[in-house]
Amino acid sequence: KNTSRRIYFMDFFILAAILLLLIPSRPVEFNPEYISMKQTNIIRGFFLLLVFMIHFCQYIQMNSPTDRIFQFWRTHSGQLVVTLFLLYSGYGVFVSIMKKGTPYVRRIPVHRVLRTLVHFDLAVLLYLAAYSFMGRTFSMQKIFLALLGWESLGNSNWYIFVMLILYLITWFAFRILKNSPVPSLLFITVLTVISMYILFLHKTDYWYNTMLCYPAGMWYGFFKEKIDVKLKATKNYILAALILLALLLVVYKTRQQICMYAIGAVVFALVVVMFTMKMQLGNSLLEFTGKHLFGLYIMQRLPMALLQHTTIGANAYVYAVVCFLLMYLVGIGFSWVCEMVDEKVLGKIFS
């Protein structure tokens, strides 16, 4: 048949995402801005495109003989696509606490937890409206748990739920231990492992197997200056890269064990961080995507669900392109709504 001549759409998409990451970019001796807002947004944007692909595949029949690169990557990467979101979040929160101190920690329940939950619940209500329009009904219990992130109404939920827990853990640790970095970070790491165990008892593995990346990001923030000094020397950089890649290989071979997968997730994120040390990234589309991460992440399933059983959904290529464009349209619109809510509602309540 014409399988050999068929355009491998997902392969094309993954290669296009990699090209975006590399254009425009250039190798450098050492990029001092490797974990700046701009660089992390570009990496976030890149991984968000990969998340889009993984989600999209849940709405179509994948052709197993085709899309070989994508199938291989999807089988072997698992949850690794979200590891950088978690690592960068941990890093960002830690750096903010060190800069702004107690006032910042005091505001975490409102500025981080409540704000994220309100934005998330706006999205859940949109999904509820869309599915009701399609004739689906949900029990009150399901809706209530969906608003907390514990259940889903077709929206992505586990990542948001986990982030809310991690924010609360951070607030609790730094409030109790009065902003002492090392005791607080140890406490956060222990509480994260306990949370992973509790989720292990109630949920499937993808809920908890990347959570360690958040405290790892905080520890990275703590040691960053020392790491930078060491890794500016090319010899040390090569040695560290080899150690991490060897670790990644060991962990990959034993990834069926949850502890090994959790460690592997951190190692993978660190490998990407090391890559950014040697590359000056500059893609504006990826930076824009990373900047609007929440809206694009939370809204990308909505067009997929609404169009799945329509004439658009009948053609995988048209369906993919339309969903991709709508992700930006709906996601950016949603981000704008969230900004309005922050300004007009949350700003008034908590000013």
Side-chain angles (χ1 to χ4, degrees):
K1 316 218 173 145
N2 71 350
T3 304
S4 57
R5 281 175 300 163
R6 187 196 138 181
I7 299 169
Y8 292 173
F9 185 75
M10 284 301 181
D11 283 359
F12 168 75
F13 198 103
I14 201 167
L15 293 171
I18 292 167
L19 274 178
L20 281 176
L21 186 62
L22 299 177
I23 300 170
S25 73
R26 57 190 177 86
V28 288
E29 187 62 35
F30 184 84
N31 178 6
E33 298 290 297
Y34 72 93
I35 204 159
S36 65
M37 191 59 88
K38 179 182 168 129
Q39 297 284 294
T40 56
N41 273 337
I42 290 171
I43 293 289
R44 280 189 180 116
F46 171 72
F47 280 106
L48 185 85
L49 295 189
L50 302 190
V51 170
F52 168 85
M53 291 157 68
I54 288 173
H55 286 167
F56 180 72
C57 289
Q58 294 165 7
Y59 295 83
I60 56 165
Q61 268 319 108
M62 282 297 287
N63 273 359
S64 49
T66 61
D67 291 315
R68 285 213 178 86
I69 300 170
F70 178 72
Q71 291 283 23
F72 175 84
W73 174 82
R74 188 184 176 203
T75 312
H76 295 86
S77 69
Q79 286 297 100
L80 298 180
V81 287
V82 297
T83 54
L84 274 299
F85 302 163
L86 287 153
L87 185 109
Y88 288 154
S89 291
Y91 174 82
V93 171
F94 178 78
V95 169
S96 298
I97 291 171
M98 290 298 104
K99 267 192 199 149
K100 300 170 189 170
T102 308
Y104 180 85
V105 176
R106 278 214 177 104
R107 290 202 305 270
I108 287 175
V110 170
H111 277 230
R112 292 280 181 171
V113 180
L114 188 71
R115 197 166 145 254
T116 304
L117 190 63
V118 168
H119 294 176
F120 174 69
D121 285 347
L122 286 173
V124 170
L125 294 173
L126 268 176
Y127 277 85
L128 178 63
Y131 276 111
S132 303
F133 170 74
M134 283 153 61
R136 276 184 64 183
T137 51
F138 302 99
S139 67
M140 283 312 290
Q141 184 192 4
K142 177 103 170 162
I143 294 168
F144 174 71
L145 290 174
L147 290 169
L148 292 175
W150 187 253
E151 289 286 346
S152 164
L153 305 182
N155 55 293
S156 300
N157 62 322
W158 73 267
Y159 176 75
I160 306 299
F161 183 83
V162 159
M163 281 313 303
L164 295 173
I165 298 297
L166 291 167
Y167 287 150
L168 285 170
I169 284 173
T170 305
W171 169 76
F172 184 61
F174 276 99
R175 285 299 280 152
I176 281 187
L177 297 164
K178 301 285 177 261
N179 297 3
S180 321
V182 175
S184 297
L185 292 188
L186 285 169
F187 194 32
I188 288 166
T189 309
V190 169
L191 289 176
T192 301
V193 172
I194 292 168
S195 306
M196 287 167 74
Y197 180 71
I198 294 167
L199 286 170
F200 162 75
L201 298 176
H202 297 280
K203 296 286 186 182
T204 49
D205 57 0
Y206 64 78
W207 276 71
Y208 52 82
N209 61 14
T210 51
M211 276 178 83
L212 271 184
C213 293
Y214 178 88
M218 295 194 130
W219 282 109
Y220 195 91
F222 181 73
F223 287 114
K224 179 180 182 291
E225 283 175 16
K226 288 179 178 147
I227 293 169
D228 287 2
V229 169
K230 283 268 185 272
L231 295 187
K232 271 178 186 160
T234 307
K235 188 178 70 196
N236 292 343
Y237 180 89
I238 291 168
L239 184 66
L242 288 172
I243 290 169
L244 282 178
L245 290 169
L247 254 176
L248 202 57
L249 194 65
V250 170
V251 169
Y252 175 73
K253 295 285 182 205
T254 53
R255 68 190 183 283
Q256 300 313 328
Q257 299 163 23
I258 176 61
C259 295
M260 296 312 278
Y261 194 100
I263 294 164
V266 174
V267 174
F268 174 80
L270 292 175
V271 167
V272 176
V273 170
M274 284 196 72
F275 163 77
T276 58
M277 285 179 185
K278 292 287 185 191
M279 291 297 275
Q280 186 88 46
L281 304 171
N283 190 284
S284 332
L285 175 67
L286 290 185
E287 189 188 350
F288 177 81
T289 305
K291 235 182 227 168
H292 296 91
L293 183 81
F294 182 84
L296 296 173
Y297 173 78
I298 211 74
M299 281 294 129
Q300 59 182 228
R301 285 179 181 272
L302 197 59
M304 296 175 192
L306 287 171
L307 299 174
Q308 187 179 17
H309 301 298
T310 63
T311 44
I312 291 171
N315 182 319
Y317 303 129
V318 175
Y319 182 36
V321 172
V322 171
C323 285
F324 184 70
L325 296 174
L326 283 175
M327 169 178 77
Y328 279 96
L329 203 65
V330 180
I332 302 304
F334 182 73
S335 296
W336 179 77
V337 169
C338 289
E339 278 168 31
M340 296 300 289
V341 167
D342 284 354
E343 203 181 306
K344 300 274 190 280
V345 183
L346 297 181
K348 294 269 194 299
I349 298 171
F350 299 110
S351 55

